[in-house]
Amino acid sequence: MNRTVSLIFLSIGTVLVIYCFNALGSLISAFSGFRSGAPTDRTVWLMIAGVVLFGVGVGGVVFGRKPTLRRS
């Protein structure tokens, strides 16, 4: 995987996780959590997507292809 794509996945995953933590503290999520004891479905899916994208981005940066020199 290209390092640029991996860095994009890493940054989008980070933004989604931060957005999810903000959604956990929102008023709607607080009412839903009070009523059912669980966060909203949207918050759960944001967390899953953010963690997966973050993991793919880290994996691509750490284990991605190393640039090679091309010989003419």
Side-chain angles (χ1 to χ4, degrees):
M1 184 183 309
N2 191 352
R3 262 183 213 254
T4 306
V5 175
S6 298
L7 290 173
I8 290 171
F9 282 167
L10 184 67
S11 62
I12 291 173
T14 303
V15 168
L16 282 178
V17 169
I18 290 170
Y19 185 73
C20 175
F21 282 123
N22 286 338
L24 280 173
S26 72
L27 186 61
I28 294 172
S29 184
F31 281 126
S32 174
F34 178 72
R35 184 176 42 112
S36 67
T40 61
D41 289 342
R42 180 177 180 218
T43 305
V44 172
W45 283 112
L46 281 173
M47 180 62 79
I48 291 170
V51 168
V52 167
L53 284 174
F54 185 82
V56 168
V58 168
V61 168
V62 172
F63 299 113
R65 284 190 308 158
K66 307 290 187 239
T68 58
L69 295 174
R70 293 185 181 177
R71 293 185 184 193
S72 324

